[in-house]
Amino acid sequence: MTDGMLSKTATMEIPINRNGDAGTLAEDDGLEQDLQQVMVSGPNLNETSIVSGGYGGTNEGIIPTSSIKGSSMQHSSSGSSMTAEEASRGVAVEKLDFVKKWSLNTYKCTKQMISERFGRGSRTVDLELEAQIDVLRDTKKKYENVLRLARALNNHFYSMVQTQHALGDTFADLSQKSPELRDEFGYNAETQKLLCKNGETLLGAVNFFVSSINTLVNKTMEDTLMTIKMYEAARLEFDAYRTDLEELSVGPRDAVTMARIDAAQEQYQIHKDKYERLRSDVTIKLKFLDENKVKVMHKQLLLFHNAISAYFAGNQQQLEQTLKQFNIKLRPTGADKPSWLEEP
């Protein structure tokens, strides 16, 4: 046992040089230099090898890690490229399927439209609703004409008010420069200024009338007509798929045909629900539009009548009272003109 301990102690105290041989303490300097050289020019991690076998064995068990890394990178890149390719293929399939459905739907609707145009196909008709739609389209045309004439009146009257304003300024200037006609030019200048003031008040009423009619025609009525267009398109699709189902139903009843009939029945039901929903929407919108039209036009026509009557009667107080009644606020005179600091 004592010999074993002595041999163990002797072994622990033997210094090892860079060749793995026993050496003396005097060779520590060489060992230190070798360590420094290793620290400076250490191994490249990309070229590190995994040693299989014992120390000092042959190179048969050495596997370069660069080859492992390259292999893993190739697998990763190939996997990601396959994933991207599958995703792009899925998107392409979805687009192709969408184009196919759109083309089929367009073909059926075009066929149905041509059949109706030449009197060979049948169409679903709601007589009461169609009559209301025709009335709305005719009413919109007439209201567009009212709007066009009201705008023309507003433009002409604005030009007249501007002319009266210029004429009043000219009369006032001549009143100062023509002593012999001072009174005549003076009361003509006052008359034109009064007419100009009343004209600006009437312009406020006419502008409000034009704005309200424009909202009714180009927003409220147009919104209802857009819903009607959607309803008519849904009606055409519904009739197209109804006709398709009727044609399949009179044919042979084999397995392939029955599958096509089931698919056509499903599409028919989908378009029937869409058609009925839009028909209900159109009916509701037409009802609310009619109520709104009566309410708006009752107010606007009363405003237009009272303002025009008060202006041409020369009743300035009644004209101003009309604007207050309908909560119309006028711009201050010259509010839309630049100040003298902004003039060139």
Side-chain angles (χ1 to χ4, degrees):
M1 183 174 181
T2 305
D3 295 338
M5 292 179 63
L6 290 174
S7 62
K8 183 177 181 181
T9 304
T11 304
M12 292 176 64
E13 292 178 353
I14 295 174
I16 306 298
N17 63 9
R18 59 183 175 180
N19 295 322
D21 299 329
T24 61
L25 293 176
E27 294 180 349
D28 287 344
D29 295 335
L31 176 61
E32 186 175 350
Q33 292 177 2
D34 289 337
L35 289 174
Q36 290 178 357
Q37 181 67 22
V38 171
M39 294 293 291
V40 172
S41 58
N44 188 352
L45 295 179
N46 294 327
E47 299 177 355
T48 304
S49 301
I50 299 176
V51 179
S52 176
Y55 177 79
T58 62
N59 293 333
E60 294 178 357
I62 299 178
I63 304 174
T65 56
S66 58
S67 62
I68 298 176
K69 181 177 180 181
S71 176
S72 62
M73 289 181 63
Q74 289 177 2
H75 285 295
S76 176
S77 60
S78 62
S80 60
S81 63
M82 289 180 63
T83 303
E85 184 179 354
E86 290 175 357
S88 62
R89 187 184 295 112
V91 172
V93 169
E94 289 180 0
K95 289 184 178 181
L96 184 62
D97 187 57
F98 172 78
V99 172
K100 181 180 177 181
K101 289 181 179 179
W102 177 84
S103 301
L104 182 61
N105 184 73
T106 303
Y107 166 74
K108 290 180 182 295
C109 292
T110 304
K111 179 182 176 182
Q112 176 67 23
M113 183 173 59
I114 293 175
S115 299
E116 293 177 3
R117 193 73 59 86
F118 287 95
R120 293 197 300 264
S122 61
R123 63 185 296 246
T124 304
V125 179
D126 189 328
L127 296 177
E128 183 179 358
L129 186 58
E130 293 290 337
Q132 293 178 1
I133 292 173
D134 291 339
V135 169
L136 172 60
R137 288 187 170 129
D138 184 62
T139 302
K140 186 173 184 289
K141 291 180 180 179
K142 293 179 178 178
Y143 275 55
E144 286 174 342
N145 190 41
V146 170
L147 179 61
R148 179 180 61 82
L149 294 173
R151 282 174 172 166
L153 174 65
N154 185 61
N155 293 334
H156 293 321
F157 202 79
Y158 176 79
S159 299
M160 188 184 75
V161 170
Q162 295 301 310
T163 303
Q164 289 175 337
H165 188 276
L167 190 59
D169 291 342
T170 303
F171 283 156
D173 183 60
L174 289 172
S175 175
Q176 299 295 327
K177 296 179 180 180
S178 303
E180 66 280 4
L181 297 173
R182 177 176 300 173
D183 294 338
E184 288 81 359
F185 279 126
Y187 59 69
N188 272 283
E190 292 298 325
T191 300
Q192 293 301 319
K193 289 180 180 180
L194 180 61
L195 289 173
C196 183
K197 181 180 179 181
N198 290 344
E200 290 175 349
T201 306
L202 179 62
L203 277 175
V206 175
N207 280 328
F208 187 76
F209 177 81
V210 169
S211 176
S212 299
I213 300 299
N214 180 64
T215 301
L216 178 64
V217 172
N218 293 321
K219 292 186 178 179
T220 310
M221 289 185 178
E222 188 63 30
D223 177 71
T224 304
L225 287 173
M226 288 297 296
T227 307
I228 289 173
K229 290 179 181 178
M230 295 170 60
Y231 156 75
E232 291 175 341
R235 197 277 310 164
L236 184 64
E237 289 180 349
F238 165 66
D239 282 337
Y241 283 92
R242 176 182 56 80
T243 303
D244 187 44
L245 179 61
E246 290 174 354
E247 292 176 353
L248 289 173
S249 299
V250 298
R253 297 300 184 93
D254 54 7
V256 177
T257 306
M258 291 302 298
R260 293 179 60 187
I261 289 175
D262 292 340
Q265 180 70 38
E266 182 181 357
Q267 291 296 320
Y268 165 79
Q269 190 62 43
I270 291 173
H271 287 87
K272 180 182 178 182
D273 294 341
K274 180 181 178 181
Y275 164 72
E276 291 179 348
R277 184 181 71 253
L278 285 171
R279 181 176 61 180
S280 176
D281 292 345
V282 170
T283 303
I284 294 172
K285 283 197 173 186
L286 284 173
K287 179 181 178 182
F288 283 115
L289 174 62
D290 189 63
E291 294 175 356
N292 187 42
K293 180 191 68 176
V294 172
K295 182 179 179 181
V296 169
M297 292 308 299
H298 175 76
K299 177 181 178 180
Q300 295 303 318
L301 291 173
L302 184 63
L303 163 67
F304 192 78
H305 174 269
N306 291 347
I308 293 289
S309 300
Y311 173 80
F312 285 102
N315 192 340
Q316 180 182 359
Q317 184 178 0
Q318 180 63 33
L319 183 60
E320 293 177 352
Q321 184 64 33
T322 299
L323 266 68
K324 290 180 180 178
Q325 178 184 353
F326 292 95
N327 299 320
I328 301 174
K329 295 182 180 180
L330 297 176
R331 286 184 178 181
T333 304
D336 54 345
K337 297 180 180 180
S339 65
W340 63 273
L341 290 173
E342 299 173 341
E343 292 178 357

